């Protein structure tokens, strides 16, 4: 079964807004405080996709023992989105969904949907600070960081 990219860009969003950057952080759940033991046997990550000062986030789980280069290779297909106008993102993703696979599509759909929501709501600086604090916290526990 292939995920369908059902994202629509609300008309309130500036369609010329461009994806300015993406970051992916892999961290070890065993080292994070306040995590229940049953959730501590995996490597997880956070993906951030940005349009200027507005960000979209998605989390993911990787099998234990995943090599950092696997994450970079897995996420590198998203590099093509950098610099792309939001008006073209949905179409581009739909064109590549079979090639990228269901897992990547669901993950990317979550990140783009979160970005669109934040663009639509005009994310406040308070919310951004909170996200940046979370990111700073995760960077303390980062095993792999990739920016593109």
């Amino acid at each position: 079964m292939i995920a369908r990219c059902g994202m629509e860009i609300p008309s309130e969003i500036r369609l010329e807004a461009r994806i300015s950057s993406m970051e992916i952080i892999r961290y070890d759940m065993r080292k994070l405080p306040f995590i229940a033991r049953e959730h501590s046997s995996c490597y997880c990550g956070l993906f951030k996709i940005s349009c200027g000062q507005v960000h979209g986030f998605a989390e993911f789980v990787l099998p234990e023992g995943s090599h950092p280069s696997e994450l970079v290779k897995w996420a590198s297909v998203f590099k093509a989105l950098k610099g792309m106008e939001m008006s073209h993102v949905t179409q581009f993703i739909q064109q590549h969904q079979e090639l990228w696979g269901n897992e990547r599509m669901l993950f990317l759909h979550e990140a783009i949907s979160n970005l669109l929501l934040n663009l639509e709501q005009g994310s406040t600086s308070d919310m951004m600070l909170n996200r940046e604090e979370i990111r700073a916290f995760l960077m303390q526990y980062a095993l792999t960081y990739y920016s593109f």
Side-chain angles (χ1 to χ4, degrees), residues 26-32 40-44 141-143:
R26 180 180 72 116
Y27 50 94
D28 186 343
M29 294 286 284
R30 296 173 293 200
K31 296 183 180 177
L32 289 173
S40 67
S41 64
C42 61
Y43 293 97
C44 297
Y141 300 96
L143 297 172

Side-chain angles (χ1 to χ4, degrees), residues 112-148:
I112 295 290
S113 294
N114 186 248
L115 176 61
L116 289 171
L117 176 68
N118 291 335
L119 282 168
E120 186 177 7
Q121 293 177 346
S123 292
T124 65
S125 58
D126 289 343
M127 184 177 167
M128 297 310 299
L129 178 61
N130 188 33
R131 292 287 193 173
E132 292 303 319
E133 288 174 343
I134 292 169
R135 182 178 166 271
F137 173 80
L138 290 175
M139 287 299 283
Q140 291 180 0
Y141 300 96
L143 297 172
T144 307
Y145 173 80
Y146 179 50
S147 176
F148 48 111

Side-chain angles (χ1 to χ4, degrees), residues 10-144:
S11 58
E12 306 83 48
I13 294 176
R14 293 186 334 236
L15 296 180
E16 72 277 3
R18 294 179 182 270
I19 294 178
S20 56
S21 67
M22 291 168 276
E23 298 171 88
I24 197 158
I25 302 167
R26 180 180 72 116
Y27 50 94
D28 186 343
M29 294 286 284
R30 296 173 293 200
K31 296 183 180 177
L32 289 173
F34 314 114
I35 300 295
R37 286 279 179 219
E38 63 268 14
H39 300 293
S40 67
S41 64
C42 61
Y43 293 97
C44 297
L46 181 68
F47 178 68
K48 178 176 114 175
I49 186 166
S50 304
C51 275
Q53 297 300 312
V54 180
H55 314 293
F57 294 86
E59 292 181 299
F60 57 91
V61 177
L62 297 166
E64 188 171 356
S66 295
H67 193 272
S69 64
E70 293 172 19
L71 176 63
V72 172
K73 182 179 177 182
W74 185 83
S76 66
V77 299
F78 302 139
K79 281 193 321 189
L81 297 173
K82 188 172 181 177
M84 191 174 291
E85 290 182 356
M86 291 304 296
S87 60
H88 297 105
V89 168
T90 303
Q91 180 183 13
F92 185 82
I93 291 170
Q94 287 173 340
Q95 291 171 346
H96 291 84
Q97 72 182 33
E98 193 169 323
L99 177 66
W100 289 352
N102 199 40
E103 185 178 326
R104 280 190 196 130
M105 288 305 300
L106 292 172
F107 167 74
L108 188 57
H109 183 271
E110 180 182 345
I112 295 290
S113 294
N114 186 248
L115 176 61
L116 289 171
L117 176 68
N118 291 335
L119 282 168
E120 186 177 7
Q121 293 177 346
S123 292
T124 65
S125 58
D126 289 343
M127 184 177 167
M128 297 310 299
L129 178 61
N130 188 33
R131 292 287 193 173
E132 292 303 319
E133 288 174 343
I134 292 169
R135 182 178 166 271
F137 173 80
L138 290 175
M139 287 299 283
Q140 291 180 0
Y141 300 96
L143 297 172
T144 307

